[in-house]
Amino acid sequence: QVQLVESGGGLVQAGGSLILSCVASGRTFSWFSTGWFRQAPGKEREFVARITGSGLATYYVDSVKGRFTISRDNAKNTVYLQMNSLKPEDTAVYYCAADRRSGSDTTTGYAYWGQGTQVTVSS
């Protein structure tokens, strides 16, 4: 129905920046709320950020507020996560998720998931 492919992960020093991209296909992208989640080894997958289909509203977990920015370009079927001032605690596999519904801060609120992209922040 919807396929999501993340890219942009890598190794960066603390304080550095990365931008993640998630390209969607299969449906009209503007109809989907999109979220970013992350999962560190041995930990539960956690909510990071989400954006409404229109891009007019965004939401973030407290730990990334002021550092991360989620955005989307519906003409390119792409959602982004700009990550600045990265910390070692940000190290995780980052997943893009989408759902036709209005959006959620939980993994169960999303029907479609990408394969993940690794972000590693060294100290």
Side-chain angles (χ1 to χ4, degrees):
Q1 306 243 19
V2 174
Q3 292 186 348
L4 305 171
V5 180
E6 304 97 332
S7 63
L11 176 64
V12 64
Q13 291 184 325
S17 298
L18 286 173
I19 183 166
L20 306 183
S21 299
C22 174
V23 179
S25 62
R27 291 290 188 273
T28 301
F29 194 50
S30 63
W31 293 353
F32 288 80
S33 178
T34 304
W36 285 96
F37 292 76
R38 65 188 181 187
Q39 187 168 21
K43 296 185 178 180
E44 295 290 317
R45 190 170 300 185
E46 67 173 347
F47 167 78
V48 177
R50 65 182 172 97
I51 187 168
T52 57
S54 65
L56 296 177
T58 58
Y59 308 85
Y60 301 90
V61 68
D62 287 345
S63 61
V64 309
K65 287 180 179 177
R67 300 190 298 120
F68 291 10
T69 302
I70 187 171
S71 62
R72 66 192 298 155
D73 185 341
N74 288 334
K76 297 181 179 180
N77 290 347
T78 303
V79 63
Y80 305 94
L81 186 67
Q82 176 68 55
M83 304 185 294
N84 299 323
S85 301
L86 283 162
K87 305 174 181 179
E89 66 190 65
D90 296 318
T91 295
V93 176
Y94 283 70
Y95 297 89
C96 179
D99 199 275
R100 182 65 180 85
R101 295 170 293 181
S102 60
S104 175
D105 295 349
T106 62
T107 59
T108 55
Y110 295 87
Y112 307 103
W113 292 83
Q115 83 291 342
T117 185
Q118 177 71 48
V119 173
T120 302
V121 184
S122 64
S123 60

